[in-house]
Amino acid sequence: MKMMTKLLAASAIALTLGSAASAKTLVYCSEASPEGFDPALYTAGTTFDAASRTVYNRLVEFKHGSTEIEPGLAESWDISDDGKTYTFKLRPGVKFQTTDFFTPTREMNADDVIFSFERQLKSDNPWNKYVNGASWEYADGMGFPDLITSIEKVDDLTVKFTLSRPEAPFMADLAMDFASIMSKEYADKLEADGKTELLNQQPLGTGPFQFVAYQPDAVIRYQANPDYWAGKEKLDNLIFAITTDASVRAQKLQAGECQIMPYPNAADVASMQQNSDLTVLSQEGLNVAYLAYNTKIAPFDKVEVRKALNMAINKQAIVDAVFQGAATVAKNPIPPTMWSYNDAVKDDAYDPDAAKKMLSDAGVENLSMKIWAMPVSRPYMLNARRAAELMQADLQKIGVTAEIVSYEWGEYLSKSKAEDRDGAVMLGWTGDNGDPDNFLDTLLGCDAVGGNNRAQWCDKEFDDLVKKAKQASDQEQRAKFYEQAQVVFKEKAPWLTIDHSKVFMPMRKQVTGFVQDPLGYHRFDGVDIAE
């Protein structure tokens, strides 16, 4: 069956390329399948690439290659002196995409903005639970239901957000993927037809590319949105050829079967850089990889046990083996390129003998545990299986037996959120908005337990510091709170912090206009292929 799927995917791409000989078609060898096409329901960059950065827009956007905010669907905005009221003037004349499955009858307006957010904020909204088992991880984890007290339609092109408190990162938050604006008219039609699930399967937005078709685990097809408010893209067709193996992605790229690929194996980078047909972009990643202990489950509820396991693992050996020098060992949950990084924090030393004694002193003998290893390459962890094997060997030296487990990517992300999850889960994060809050509160705050907080860790001292930082308007004061929070994090050790990686982006020489993004997005608006 897998071989047939691959053949069908190859045929689909070949047919598209053949039928569009005179059109410009870019094939992107993506690393995994999206979890769905409603970006507010998920947190994976794979899903954002396939949905929010192609099909949708937001009120405000990040400039290409930057964390700076620029107008999006809102052409201007006003913030009250007390920092609690945000009034947005919407861009007039913005059209939703016309597709085979829906033809809009009106332009984007305030109703669409209110619908897009209220479904995430209100438990009694009919769209709040339209996907079984899914949750609004970003909105809930960032405390938006308590933060946003109301969203009002002033007129068709004016929307007012009222907050319960000042929130320093709020504008940057609105440029994130979960804040994508959807069509209320399309949602109303799906609800009337009893087909609400299609909102997550057949996306429709205002963005640069419109969805055509998806063959699960094989290929996603898009075409340029002819009515895009910022002007039709130079590419006519965009294809995501889903290719989970990094070596196969590299082979396809070098054979010209795709024009761009993410996350090459570290061992392949040097040869790609020497290939005259390729360009390899690189930059320091705004990222972190970590192993999150479930702090609600014994014996990982003991700080001493978590500290002992951290001291047993040789992180430098992992960095050397997996990244071959293109990463640094992580000691903090935010990368060193981010403001408020506390370099004074001391990392847990690699000391197996001390780790073994610490476990014994904590009354833990013959510990057996699971290490969850991601099934896909991510910028912060190119080969999770290899990293897990090295951890397994290190833990064995102190008498800890570790079993490595994994699941399909979407299932991995879903199962790892469970508050009764066993073992320690390997994951990571690339910053969404350039603000420390996006790491410290989104991944480790009390509101994120059961969601992005895979350690299930709710520490009042840490949480209070992060909440104070969110409400402070002065960046210097915010930085002090975040620096203190990093000290608390290190003392309590809910994670093994693993690495911060350099990110490489190989592509064919013919590709122009692609900008490597510090936030890890793969955007194709503005991209072209030279004739």
Side-chain angles (χ1 to χ4, degrees):
M1 179 61 95
K2 287 186 178 179
M3 180 58 72
M4 180 60 71
T5 299
K6 290 178 181 178
L7 289 172
L8 286 170
S11 298
I13 294 171
L15 284 171
T16 302
L17 293 173
S19 63
S22 60
K24 288 187 177 180
T25 298
L26 184 139
V27 180
Y28 169 63
C29 277
S30 65
E31 77 286 1
S33 299
E35 304 149 278
F37 289 92
D38 182 344
L41 290 169
Y42 307 108
T43 62
T46 302
T47 299
F48 298 155
D49 289 345
S52 45
R53 297 294 153 179
T54 49
V55 177
Y56 295 107
N57 293 122
R58 288 136 295 278
L59 290 174
V60 293
E61 303 281 7
F62 294 114
K63 289 184 178 180
H64 268 299
S66 169
T67 58
E68 186 180 345
I69 296 294
E70 66 178 0
L73 295 180
E75 59 181 6
S76 64
W77 50 88
D78 178 72
I79 305 172
S80 63
D81 290 340
D82 64 3
K84 297 200 296 188
T85 304
Y86 291 70
T87 304
F88 294 91
K89 296 297 291 184
L90 302 182
R91 189 179 299 276
V94 174
K95 297 180 179 180
F96 280 100
Q97 298 149 0
T98 297
T99 67
D100 290 343
F101 49 87
F102 185 72
T103 300
T105 65
R106 64 167 176 79
E107 295 173 345
M108 184 272 303
N109 65 30
D111 294 328
D112 303 304
V113 177
I114 293 171
F115 165 74
S116 298
F117 284 96
E118 284 195 343
R119 68 200 184 102
Q120 304 180 55
L121 306 178
K122 298 184 176 182
S123 60
D124 59 351
N125 186 287
W127 285 90
N128 186 259
K129 297 177 178 64
Y130 86 98
V131 174
N132 289 333
S135 62
W136 310 102
E137 289 190 52
Y138 271 111
D140 290 343
M142 295 163 65
F144 266 42
D146 294 327
L147 173 67
I148 300 175
T149 59
S150 67
I151 309 176
E152 301 171 58
K153 177 181 180 178
V154 178
D155 56 47
D156 275 353
L157 293 177
T158 310
V159 185
K160 182 169 73 173
F161 286 70
T162 302
L163 310 185
S164 60
R165 60 180 185 272
E167 183 85 350
F170 187 65
M171 285 298 296
D173 292 344
L174 293 184
M176 290 168 57
D177 301 80
F178 81 100
S180 296
I181 304 303
M182 296 191 159
S183 166
K184 183 179 186 299
E185 184 187 19
Y186 176 46
D188 288 345
K189 180 66 165 60
L190 293 177
E191 187 174 12
D193 293 344
K195 298 179 179 179
T196 55
E197 72 281 357
L198 293 184
L199 192 68
N200 194 36
Q201 298 170 19
Q202 294 182 333
L204 183 141
T206 60
F209 296 95
Q210 55 193 49
F211 176 83
V212 176
Y214 172 43
Q215 186 176 345
D217 302 324
V219 62
I220 314 171
R221 294 178 55 217
Y222 310 87
Q223 61 185 213
N225 176 6
D227 299 318
Y228 187 40
W229 56 268
K232 180 182 176 296
E233 293 298 323
K234 295 175 182 177
L235 295 174
D236 297 294
N237 301 292
L238 174 63
I239 295 172
F240 279 34
I242 298 166
T243 312
T244 56
D245 188 303
S247 297
V248 176
R249 289 200 298 277
Q251 291 167 13
K252 287 185 175 182
L253 180 71
Q254 293 176 84
E257 295 177 28
C258 59
Q259 285 78 44
I260 305 181
M261 66 160 283
Y263 318 133
N265 286 326
D268 294 334
V269 171
S271 63
M272 287 180 167
Q273 289 171 329
Q274 294 168 8
N275 188 328
S276 60
D277 293 328
L278 304 180
T279 298
V280 181
L281 304 181
S282 66
Q283 66 180 11
E284 295 298 327
L286 196 72
N287 61 39
V288 64
Y290 61 82
L291 187 74
Y293 304 108
N294 189 342
T295 61
K296 287 189 173 183
I297 303 295
F300 308 107
D301 56 341
K302 294 184 177 181
V303 172
E304 302 92 330
V305 172
R306 303 194 298 265
K307 282 277 191 183
L309 297 177
N310 284 359
M311 292 169 65
I313 294 171
N314 186 343
K315 297 191 290 188
Q316 187 62 55
I318 294 172
V319 166
D320 292 343
V322 175
F323 294 94
Q324 300 189 13
T328 57
V329 167
K331 64 180 180 180
N332 288 325
I334 64 173
T337 52
M338 176 166 275
W339 62 270
S340 83
Y341 180 82
N342 190 345
D343 198 36
V345 167
K346 300 297 183 186
D347 202 7
D348 297 313
Y350 171 54
D351 191 338
D353 292 335
K356 191 171 185 177
K357 183 179 186 303
M358 190 177 289
L359 272 187
S360 178
D361 291 346
V364 176
E365 304 285 348
N366 303 315
L367 174 61
S368 294
M369 62 180 288
K370 291 181 179 178
I371 296 176
W372 292 43
M374 297 172 294
V376 297
S377 301
R378 305 306 301 146
Y380 44 76
M381 181 50 65
L382 298 178
N383 190 332
R385 169 65 64 167
R386 179 65 180 134
E389 289 170 350
L390 291 169
M391 293 177 188
Q392 182 184 49
D394 284 341
L395 292 174
Q396 187 65 50
K397 294 173 186 175
I398 66 164
V400 174
T401 301
E403 176 192 358
I404 301 172
V405 299
S406 192
Y407 302 91
E408 179 274 328
W409 185 221
E411 188 179 8
Y412 185 97
L413 291 169
S414 177
K415 285 179 175 292
S416 64
K417 291 185 294 185
E419 294 187 44
D420 60 352
R421 183 206 74 236
D422 56 354
V425 62
M426 197 186 312
L427 264 173
W429 196 255
T430 297
D432 291 292
N433 61 15
D435 195 289
D437 174 76
N438 182 242
F439 284 78
L440 299 176
D441 192 38
T442 301
L443 301 181
L444 292 158
C446 292
D447 289 336
V449 169
N452 284 324
N453 187 339
R454 291 328 200 265
Q456 316 302 342
W457 183 64
C458 179
D459 182 88
K460 187 178 187 305
E461 183 182 7
F462 177 91
D463 205 60
D464 285 349
L465 287 166
V466 171
K467 293 295 190 289
K468 287 177 182 177
K470 288 163 72 83
Q471 296 180 46
S473 57
D474 178 69
Q475 184 167 310
E476 186 175 344
Q477 182 60 55
R478 294 186 71 206
K480 289 179 181 177
F481 287 130
Y482 288 135
E483 288 166 7
Q484 293 172 50
Q486 289 166 72
V487 172
V488 175
F489 166 87
K490 206 65 191 180
E491 290 173 349
K492 303 296 178 65
W495 293 354
L496 167 75
T497 50
I498 305 172
D499 70 83
H500 307 293
S501 72
K502 195 169 186 177
V503 180
F504 296 95
M505 197 71 196
M507 63 194 68
R508 304 289 299 179
K509 288 278 190 185
Q510 294 90 341
V511 176
T512 62
F514 185 91
V515 178
Q516 195 170 16
D517 200 299
L519 302 175
Y521 303 126
H522 298 118
R523 292 175 55 176
F524 300 97
D525 52 317
V527 175
D528 197 3
I529 300 178
E531 302 256 336

